[in-house]
Amino acid sequence: MRNITLAARMLLKTPFVTAIAVLSLALGIGANAAIFSMFDQLLWHPLPVREPSQLVNLSAPGPMPGSDSCNQSGSCEEVFSYAMFRDLERAKTPLSGLAGHRIIGVSLSVRNEPMTGEGAMVSGSYFPVLGLGAAAGRLLSPDDDKVIGANFVAVLSHHFWQDKYGGDPRAVGQPIMVNGRSFTIVGVAPAGFEGTTAGARPLVYVPLSMRGEVQRFTKFEERRNYWVYLFGRLAPGMSRESAEAAINGVYHHFPAQLSGGQQQRVAVARAVAGDPAILLADEPTGNLDSKNGEAVMELLRELNQHESTVCMVTHDSRYAQHADREVALFDGRVVDSAEALAAR
């Protein structure tokens, strides 16, 4: 755990931290728990959706540099940043669809009657991935979730529609106040569907991209702010085990998209996170500028102070001076430093 903290600090101290770097580190450490069955989690509350056994939750165990915000929607190892979610949506994965969701508290006003309860922020892919159809009007779609803060549309739960609107289809098109903002009701969820969080009964569903309108939130592009819960549907013929291996392959492919210097820093952080007794570092500062080179050296010094042996190969005398013992090689022979300098 100590060295995982050091690795996280390595990521935080340098400006290269992106979703792909953080994902690579996290999944490299906990790759065997990246995907698990939503159906197993909700056996006592089965989902009235198409082939519920094909639904899987995603998680990213391991260090998460930054801040996380978890709630009853799942554990703190299951939250992703909004930007990470969108990255995965665009990536080729073994899932036929990927969706994001989060339970929130809501204050509603229906025909000037105030009430409080639970709501759900969901991605535009949420209802399509579940394979649901509307009881009235339409459900949220990807078009409702493309632009942050742009679509003031809402879907009512079926039980809320029955309780407050008497099942009247004319509710569609009417306004509803959600946490002080006016949304237009576009549809009603099907009967029996109570969301995808065990123990929660959302009254209303709004687009995930509208979080800034229903809560005080602006950090959609902050890749180190984790708050979105993800689930997906397995592609036809894909087992959970095969999907897990394939999706981890996607994660581990991401570092190839980084620059040489970025890959260097990710490699150092991953090596340190493995809690090595001996760390062999071959030119760990080779692709880095002086600022980031010093950050790597600071990390290696701290690792050494915690009883890990660090053996480093370098051609840069500035970094060689950090070593307690220096061994020089010249023409394949071990020589003292003075002889090496004279040979130059």
Side-chain angles (χ1 to χ4, degrees):
M1 181 60 70
R2 167 180 53 80
N3 285 342
I4 288 178
T5 302
L6 292 180
R9 285 175 51 195
M10 171 68 214
L11 297 178
L12 285 168
K13 285 184 178 181
T14 54
F16 82 103
V17 180
T18 63
I20 46 184
V22 174
L23 286 173
S24 172
L25 178 59
L27 269 292
I29 294 169
N32 291 331
I35 188 169
F36 59 96
S37 174
M38 177 184 286
F39 182 68
D40 290 346
Q41 185 184 35
L42 296 174
L43 276 177
W44 62 274
H45 178 65
L47 290 171
V49 301
R50 175 174 55 86
E51 298 181 288
S53 62
Q54 295 304 105
L55 296 175
V56 291
N57 277 321
L58 273 67
S59 68
M64 288 188 178
S67 62
D68 60 63
S69 175
C70 39
N71 64 13
Q72 69 194 87
S73 300
S75 79
C76 294
E77 287 191 337
E78 296 166 31
V79 283
F80 291 74
S81 73
Y82 182 84
M84 292 161 70
F85 164 47
R86 296 306 184 188
D87 284 342
L88 283 173
E89 266 195 324
R90 290 187 291 268
K92 292 183 179 180
T93 71
L95 303 174
S96 61
L98 182 68
H101 66 116
R102 182 180 178 89
I103 288 292
I104 59 170
V106 292
S107 295
L108 306 177
S109 179
V110 179
R111 299 166 181 160
N112 296 319
E113 178 186 349
M115 64 200 69
T116 60
E118 294 172 319
M121 298 182 297
V122 302
S123 65
S125 55
Y126 181 83
F127 290 110
V129 169
L130 292 172
L132 294 174
R138 67 174 180 85
L139 301 179
L140 298 179
S141 73
D143 287 340
D144 296 315
D145 195 39
K146 284 183 176 179
V147 181
I148 292 172
N151 293 291
F152 289 83
V153 291
V155 167
L156 304 181
S157 71
H158 196 275
H159 74 270
F160 183 63
W161 177 54
Q162 291 287 340
D163 291 346
K164 296 300 178 181
Y165 295 88
D168 188 347
R170 291 175 295 179
V172 176
Q174 293 185 23
I176 183 172
M177 298 297 292
V178 182
N179 290 356
R181 302 306 303 269
S182 180
F183 284 71
T184 298
I185 300 168
V186 297
V188 179
F193 179 71
E194 301 289 355
T196 47
T197 297
R201 295 188 77 201
L203 303 176
V204 63
Y205 301 84
V206 300
L208 196 67
S209 55
M210 298 300 287
R211 185 182 180 187
E213 302 300 324
V214 295
Q215 294 183 323
R216 292 182 178 178
F217 185 81
T218 60
K219 298 181 178 180
F220 285 94
E221 303 306 320
E222 175 54 67
R223 294 181 179 275
R224 292 178 292 157
N225 190 288
Y226 310 93
W227 56 276
V228 184
Y229 291 89
L230 304 184
F231 68 86
R233 180 175 289 280
L234 295 175
M238 179 69 68
S239 69
R240 195 193 323 173
E241 293 74 20
S242 297
E244 183 175 295
I247 204 165
N248 275 287
V250 172
Y251 275 100
H252 293 302
H253 174 69
F254 284 150
Q257 303 171 26
L258 300 173
S259 69
Q262 290 171 342
Q263 291 186 43
Q264 188 90 343
R265 298 192 291 276
V266 173
V268 171
R270 293 181 71 173
V272 169
D275 199 18
I278 300 176
L279 179 65
L280 303 178
D282 186 3
E283 300 285 2
T285 61
N287 292 312
L288 307 180
D289 58 29
S290 59
K291 178 181 178 181
N292 287 311
E294 285 298 330
V296 170
M297 293 309 302
E298 181 182 343
L299 178 71
L300 296 180
R301 281 197 301 271
E302 187 166 349
L303 183 65
N304 178 242
Q305 289 168 2
H306 287 88
E307 301 181 352
S308 290
T309 299
V310 179
C311 297
M312 179 179 68
V313 177
T314 183
H315 288 86
D316 194 322
S317 58
R318 294 174 301 169
Y319 301 127
Q321 293 173 1
H322 289 285
D324 295 327
R325 181 185 177 192
E326 185 177 345
V327 176
L329 294 176
F330 181 72
D331 285 345
R333 296 181 298 111
V334 175
V335 299
D336 59 36
S337 298
E339 184 179 348
L341 287 173
R344 292 177 187 173

PDB file of all heavy atoms in Angstrom, residues 53-80:
ATOM      1  N   SER A  53     -29.064 -11.328 -17.506  1.00  0.00           N
ATOM      2  CA  SER A  53     -27.825 -12.037 -17.195  1.00  0.00           C
ATOM      3  C   SER A  53     -26.658 -11.584 -18.068  1.00  0.00           C
ATOM      4  O   SER A  53     -25.503 -11.905 -17.783  1.00  0.00           O
ATOM      5  CB  SER A  53     -28.012 -13.546 -17.343  1.00  0.00           C
ATOM      6  OG  SER A  53     -28.346 -13.881 -18.680  1.00  0.00           O
ATOM      7  N   GLN A  54     -26.940 -10.850 -19.122  1.00  0.00           N
ATOM      8  CA  GLN A  54     -25.883 -10.353 -20.008  1.00  0.00           C
ATOM      9  C   GLN A  54     -25.390  -8.973 -19.614  1.00  0.00           C
ATOM     10  O   GLN A  54     -24.490  -8.424 -20.259  1.00  0.00           O
ATOM     11  CB  GLN A  54     -26.393 -10.306 -21.461  1.00  0.00           C
ATOM     12  CG  GLN A  54     -26.724 -11.676 -22.039  1.00  0.00           C
ATOM     13  CD  GLN A  54     -25.531 -12.627 -21.967  1.00  0.00           C
ATOM     14  OE1 GLN A  54     -25.486 -13.533 -21.141  1.00  0.00           O
ATOM     15  NE2 GLN A  54     -24.547 -12.401 -22.817  1.00  0.00           N
ATOM     16  N   LEU A  55     -25.959  -8.416 -18.555  1.00  0.00           N
ATOM     17  CA  LEU A  55     -25.513  -7.112 -18.069  1.00  0.00           C
ATOM     18  C   LEU A  55     -24.356  -7.273 -17.090  1.00  0.00           C
ATOM     19  O   LEU A  55     -24.389  -8.158 -16.238  1.00  0.00           O
ATOM     20  CB  LEU A  55     -26.666  -6.375 -17.390  1.00  0.00           C
ATOM     21  CG  LEU A  55     -27.857  -6.012 -18.280  1.00  0.00           C
ATOM     22  CD1 LEU A  55     -28.969  -5.410 -17.443  1.00  0.00           C
ATOM     23  CD2 LEU A  55     -27.435  -5.045 -19.382  1.00  0.00           C
ATOM     24  N   VAL A  56     -23.355  -6.428 -17.219  1.00  0.00           N
ATOM     25  CA  VAL A  56     -22.186  -6.499 -16.343  1.00  0.00           C
ATOM     26  C   VAL A  56     -21.816  -5.103 -15.865  1.00  0.00           C
ATOM     27  O   VAL A  56     -21.955  -4.118 -16.581  1.00  0.00           O
ATOM     28  CB  VAL A  56     -20.967  -7.121 -17.060  1.00  0.00           C
ATOM     29  CG1 VAL A  56     -21.198  -8.602 -17.318  1.00  0.00           C
ATOM     30  CG2 VAL A  56     -20.662  -6.393 -18.367  1.00  0.00           C
ATOM     31  N   ASN A  57     -21.378  -5.026 -14.614  1.00  0.00           N
ATOM     32  CA  ASN A  57     -20.831  -3.791 -14.074  1.00  0.00           C
ATOM     33  C   ASN A  57     -19.350  -3.722 -14.359  1.00  0.00           C
ATOM     34  O   ASN A  57     -18.676  -4.755 -14.449  1.00  0.00           O
ATOM     35  CB  ASN A  57     -21.052  -3.728 -12.564  1.00  0.00           C
ATOM     36  CG  ASN A  57     -22.439  -3.230 -12.206  1.00  0.00           C
ATOM     37  OD1 ASN A  57     -22.971  -2.333 -12.850  1.00  0.00           O
ATOM     38  ND2 ASN A  57     -23.018  -3.809 -11.175  1.00  0.00           N
ATOM     39  N   LEU A  58     -18.807  -2.520 -14.443  1.00  0.00           N
ATOM     40  CA  LEU A  58     -17.378  -2.323 -14.609  1.00  0.00           C
ATOM     41  C   LEU A  58     -16.801  -1.715 -13.345  1.00  0.00           C
ATOM     42  O   LEU A  58     -17.472  -0.940 -12.659  1.00  0.00           O
ATOM     43  CB  LEU A  58     -17.075  -1.388 -15.788  1.00  0.00           C
ATOM     44  CG  LEU A  58     -16.953  -2.035 -17.176  1.00  0.00           C
ATOM     45  CD1 LEU A  58     -18.300  -2.577 -17.628  1.00  0.00           C
ATOM     46  CD2 LEU A  58     -16.410  -1.043 -18.191  1.00  0.00           C
ATOM     47  N   SER A  59     -15.562  -2.066 -13.033  1.00  0.00           N
ATOM     48  CA  SER A  59     -14.862  -1.447 -11.918  1.00  0.00           C
ATOM     49  C   SER A  59     -13.418  -1.216 -12.318  1.00  0.00           C
ATOM     50  O   SER A  59     -12.924  -1.796 -13.280  1.00  0.00           O
ATOM     51  CB  SER A  59     -14.935  -2.318 -10.655  1.00  0.00           C
ATOM     52  OG  SER A  59     -14.184  -3.502 -10.820  1.00  0.00           O
ATOM     53  N   ALA A  60     -12.744  -0.352 -11.560  1.00  0.00           N
ATOM     54  CA  ALA A  60     -11.342  -0.039 -11.829  1.00  0.00           C
ATOM     55  C   ALA A  60     -10.572  -0.068 -10.526  1.00  0.00           C
ATOM     56  O   ALA A  60     -10.175   0.958  -9.995  1.00  0.00           O
ATOM     57  CB  ALA A  60     -11.211   1.325 -12.494  1.00  0.00           C
ATOM     58  N   PRO A  61     -10.356  -1.259  -9.938  1.00  0.00           N
ATOM     59  CA  PRO A  61      -9.642  -1.344  -8.664  1.00  0.00           C
ATOM     60  C   PRO A  61      -8.209  -0.878  -8.809  1.00  0.00           C
ATOM     61  O   PRO A  61      -7.610  -0.984  -9.868  1.00  0.00           O
ATOM     62  CB  PRO A  61      -9.717  -2.836  -8.314  1.00  0.00           C
ATOM     63  CG  PRO A  61      -9.893  -3.522  -9.629  1.00  0.00           C
ATOM     64  CD  PRO A  61     -10.712  -2.582 -10.470  1.00  0.00           C
ATOM     65  N   GLY A  62      -7.658  -0.381  -7.720  1.00  0.00           N
ATOM     66  CA  GLY A  62      -6.300   0.139  -7.747  1.00  0.00           C
ATOM     67  C   GLY A  62      -6.291   1.596  -7.344  1.00  0.00           C
ATOM     68  O   GLY A  62      -7.322   2.172  -6.986  1.00  0.00           O
ATOM     69  N   PRO A  63      -5.138   2.233  -7.384  1.00  0.00           N
ATOM     70  CA  PRO A  63      -5.040   3.629  -6.958  1.00  0.00           C
ATOM     71  C   PRO A  63      -5.797   4.548  -7.890  1.00  0.00           C
ATOM     72  O   PRO A  63      -5.798   4.360  -9.095  1.00  0.00           O
ATOM     73  CB  PRO A  63      -3.533   3.905  -7.017  1.00  0.00           C
ATOM     74  CG  PRO A  63      -3.021   2.948  -8.043  1.00  0.00           C
ATOM     75  CD  PRO A  63      -3.849   1.702  -7.864  1.00  0.00           C
ATOM     76  N   MET A  64      -6.473   5.522  -7.303  1.00  0.00           N
ATOM     77  CA  MET A  64      -7.194   6.526  -8.081  1.00  0.00           C
ATOM     78  C   MET A  64      -6.718   7.898  -7.642  1.00  0.00           C
ATOM     79  O   MET A  64      -7.306   8.517  -6.747  1.00  0.00           O
ATOM     80  CB  MET A  64      -8.706   6.390  -7.876  1.00  0.00           C
ATOM     81  CG  MET A  64      -9.320   5.173  -8.534  1.00  0.00           C
ATOM     82  SD  MET A  64     -11.131   5.218  -8.438  1.00  0.00           S
ATOM     83  CE  MET A  64     -11.551   3.716  -9.333  1.00  0.00           C
ATOM     84  N   PRO A  65      -5.647   8.408  -8.226  1.00  0.00           N
ATOM     85  CA  PRO A  65      -5.160   9.734  -7.839  1.00  0.00           C
ATOM     86  C   PRO A  65      -6.229  10.777  -8.094  1.00  0.00           C
ATOM     87  O   PRO A  65      -6.789  10.848  -9.177  1.00  0.00           O
ATOM     88  CB  PRO A  65      -3.952   9.948  -8.759  1.00  0.00           C
ATOM     89  CG  PRO A  65      -3.551   8.584  -9.208  1.00  0.00           C
ATOM     90  CD  PRO A  65      -4.812   7.796  -9.273  1.00  0.00           C
ATOM     91  N   GLY A  66      -6.532  11.577  -7.095  1.00  0.00           N
ATOM     92  CA  GLY A  66      -7.567  12.592  -7.241  1.00  0.00           C
ATOM     93  C   GLY A  66      -8.637  12.394  -6.195  1.00  0.00           C
ATOM     94  O   GLY A  66      -8.351  12.063  -5.046  1.00  0.00           O
ATOM     95  N   SER A  67      -9.899  12.561  -6.572  1.00  0.00           N
ATOM     96  CA  SER A  67     -11.004  12.443  -5.626  1.00  0.00           C
ATOM     97  C   SER A  67     -12.083  11.547  -6.191  1.00  0.00           C
ATOM     98  O   SER A  67     -12.304  11.508  -7.400  1.00  0.00           O
ATOM     99  CB  SER A  67     -11.591  13.829  -5.315  1.00  0.00           C
ATOM    100  OG  SER A  67     -12.109  14.427  -6.485  1.00  0.00           O
ATOM    101  N   ASP A  68     -12.738  10.810  -5.310  1.00  0.00           N
ATOM    102  CA  ASP A  68     -13.851   9.977  -5.752  1.00  0.00           C
ATOM    103  C   ASP A  68     -15.095  10.326  -4.955  1.00  0.00           C
ATOM    104  O   ASP A  68     -15.022  10.827  -3.835  1.00  0.00           O
ATOM    105  CB  ASP A  68     -13.517   8.488  -5.635  1.00  0.00           C
ATOM    106  CG  ASP A  68     -13.204   8.061  -4.211  1.00  0.00           C
ATOM    107  OD1 ASP A  68     -14.097   8.168  -3.356  1.00  0.00           O
ATOM    108  OD2 ASP A  68     -12.065   7.635  -3.952  1.00  0.00           O
ATOM    109  N   SER A  69     -16.224  10.082  -5.565  1.00  0.00           N
ATOM    110  CA  SER A  69     -17.512  10.338  -4.940  1.00  0.00           C
ATOM    111  C   SER A  69     -18.383   9.119  -5.178  1.00  0.00           C
ATOM    112  O   SER A  69     -18.915   8.926  -6.273  1.00  0.00           O
ATOM    113  CB  SER A  69     -18.159  11.593  -5.541  1.00  0.00           C
ATOM    114  OG  SER A  69     -19.461  11.792  -5.020  1.00  0.00           O
ATOM    115  N   CYS A  70     -18.483   8.267  -4.161  1.00  0.00           N
ATOM    116  CA  CYS A  70     -19.258   7.040  -4.306  1.00  0.00           C
ATOM    117  C   CYS A  70     -20.493   7.104  -3.410  1.00  0.00           C
ATOM    118  O   CYS A  70     -20.514   7.816  -2.409  1.00  0.00           O
ATOM    119  CB  CYS A  70     -18.402   5.813  -3.986  1.00  0.00           C
ATOM    120  SG  CYS A  70     -17.273   6.019  -2.598  1.00  0.00           S
ATOM    121  N   ASN A  71     -21.516   6.346  -3.773  1.00  0.00           N
ATOM    122  CA  ASN A  71     -22.741   6.323  -2.980  1.00  0.00           C
ATOM    123  C   ASN A  71     -23.387   4.952  -3.100  1.00  0.00           C
ATOM    124  O   ASN A  71     -22.719   3.973  -3.448  1.00  0.00           O
ATOM    125  CB  ASN A  71     -23.683   7.459  -3.397  1.00  0.00           C
ATOM    126  CG  ASN A  71     -24.181   7.337  -4.832  1.00  0.00           C
ATOM    127  OD1 ASN A  71     -24.042   6.286  -5.480  1.00  0.00           O
ATOM    128  ND2 ASN A  71     -24.780   8.404  -5.346  1.00  0.00           N
ATOM    129  N   GLN A  72     -24.680   4.867  -2.848  1.00  0.00           N
ATOM    130  CA  GLN A  72     -25.354   3.579  -2.840  1.00  0.00           C
ATOM    131  C   GLN A  72     -25.374   2.912  -4.210  1.00  0.00           C
ATOM    132  O   GLN A  72     -25.718   1.726  -4.321  1.00  0.00           O
ATOM    133  CB  GLN A  72     -26.782   3.748  -2.328  1.00  0.00           C
ATOM    134  CG  GLN A  72     -27.698   4.514  -3.280  1.00  0.00           C
ATOM    135  CD  GLN A  72     -28.987   4.962  -2.629  1.00  0.00           C
ATOM    136  OE1 GLN A  72     -29.036   6.016  -2.034  1.00  0.00           O
ATOM    137  NE2 GLN A  72     -30.038   4.149  -2.729  1.00  0.00           N
ATOM    138  N   SER A  73     -24.992   3.644  -5.258  1.00  0.00           N
ATOM    139  CA  SER A  73     -24.955   3.044  -6.591  1.00  0.00           C
ATOM    140  C   SER A  73     -23.883   1.981  -6.708  1.00  0.00           C
ATOM    141  O   SER A  73     -23.911   1.163  -7.631  1.00  0.00           O
ATOM    142  CB  SER A  73     -24.730   4.127  -7.656  1.00  0.00           C
ATOM    143  OG  SER A  73     -25.767   5.086  -7.646  1.00  0.00           O
ATOM    144  N   GLY A  74     -22.904   1.974  -5.800  1.00  0.00           N
ATOM    145  CA  GLY A  74     -21.841   0.977  -5.837  1.00  0.00           C
ATOM    146  C   GLY A  74     -20.681   1.364  -4.952  1.00  0.00           C
ATOM    147  O   GLY A  74     -20.717   2.385  -4.254  1.00  0.00           O
ATOM    148  N   SER A  75     -19.628   0.555  -4.974  1.00  0.00           N
ATOM    149  CA  SER A  75     -18.468   0.810  -4.125  1.00  0.00           C
ATOM    150  C   SER A  75     -17.583   1.887  -4.743  1.00  0.00           C
ATOM    151  O   SER A  75     -17.745   2.286  -5.895  1.00  0.00           O
ATOM    152  CB  SER A  75     -17.660  -0.477  -3.931  1.00  0.00           C
ATOM    153  OG  SER A  75     -16.859  -0.735  -5.074  1.00  0.00           O
ATOM    154  N   CYS A  76     -16.597   2.326  -3.963  1.00  0.00           N
ATOM    155  CA  CYS A  76     -15.677   3.361  -4.435  1.00  0.00           C
ATOM    156  C   CYS A  76     -14.692   2.819  -5.465  1.00  0.00           C
ATOM    157  O   CYS A  76     -13.966   3.603  -6.089  1.00  0.00           O
ATOM    158  CB  CYS A  76     -14.925   3.966  -3.249  1.00  0.00           C
ATOM    159  SG  CYS A  76     -16.016   4.888  -2.130  1.00  0.00           S
ATOM    160  N   GLU A  77     -14.623   1.508  -5.651  1.00  0.00           N
ATOM    161  CA  GLU A  77     -13.786   0.931  -6.697  1.00  0.00           C
ATOM    162  C   GLU A  77     -14.523   0.855  -8.034  1.00  0.00           C
ATOM    163  O   GLU A  77     -13.954   0.436  -9.030  1.00  0.00           O
ATOM    164  CB  GLU A  77     -13.314  -0.475  -6.315  1.00  0.00           C
ATOM    165  CG  GLU A  77     -12.244  -0.492  -5.226  1.00  0.00           C
ATOM    166  CD  GLU A  77     -11.619  -1.866  -5.077  1.00  0.00           C
ATOM    167  OE1 GLU A  77     -12.283  -2.856  -5.465  1.00  0.00           O
ATOM    168  OE2 GLU A  77     -10.486  -1.945  -4.595  1.00  0.00           O
ATOM    169  N   GLU A  78     -15.781   1.274  -8.050  1.00  0.00           N
ATOM    170  CA  GLU A  78     -16.588   1.135  -9.255  1.00  0.00           C
ATOM    171  C   GLU A  78     -16.885   2.469  -9.935  1.00  0.00           C
ATOM    172  O   GLU A  78     -17.649   2.508 -10.897  1.00  0.00           O
ATOM    173  CB  GLU A  78     -17.910   0.428  -8.914  1.00  0.00           C
ATOM    174  CG  GLU A  78     -17.716  -0.994  -8.424  1.00  0.00           C
ATOM    175  CD  GLU A  78     -18.974  -1.560  -7.788  1.00  0.00           C
ATOM    176  OE1 GLU A  78     -20.081  -1.174  -8.210  1.00  0.00           O
ATOM    177  OE2 GLU A  78     -18.858  -2.364  -6.844  1.00  0.00           O
ATOM    178  N   VAL A  79     -16.279   3.549  -9.439  1.00  0.00           N
ATOM    179  CA  VAL A  79     -16.559   4.849 -10.041  1.00  0.00           C
ATOM    180  C   VAL A  79     -15.491   5.231 -11.061  1.00  0.00           C
ATOM    181  O   VAL A  79     -14.308   4.945 -10.887  1.00  0.00           O
ATOM    182  CB  VAL A  79     -16.670   5.955  -8.963  1.00  0.00           C
ATOM    183  CG1 VAL A  79     -18.000   5.878  -8.245  1.00  0.00           C
ATOM    184  CG2 VAL A  79     -15.522   5.898  -7.977  1.00  0.00           C
ATOM    185  N   PHE A  80     -15.931   5.851 -12.122  1.00  0.00           N
ATOM    186  CA  PHE A  80     -15.068   6.343 -13.185  1.00  0.00           C
ATOM    187  C   PHE A  80     -15.295   7.845 -13.332  1.00  0.00           C
ATOM    188  O   PHE A  80     -16.345   8.368 -12.950  1.00  0.00           O
ATOM    189  CB  PHE A  80     -15.407   5.659 -14.517  1.00  0.00           C
ATOM    190  CG  PHE A  80     -15.062   4.202 -14.578  1.00  0.00           C
ATOM    191  CD1 PHE A  80     -15.827   3.257 -13.889  1.00  0.00           C
ATOM    192  CD2 PHE A  80     -13.993   3.754 -15.331  1.00  0.00           C
ATOM    193  CE1 PHE A  80     -15.523   1.908 -13.948  1.00  0.00           C
ATOM    194  CE2 PHE A  80     -13.677   2.409 -15.399  1.00  0.00           C
ATOM    195  CZ  PHE A  80     -14.436   1.478 -14.708  1.00  0.00           C
TER     196      PHE A  80
END
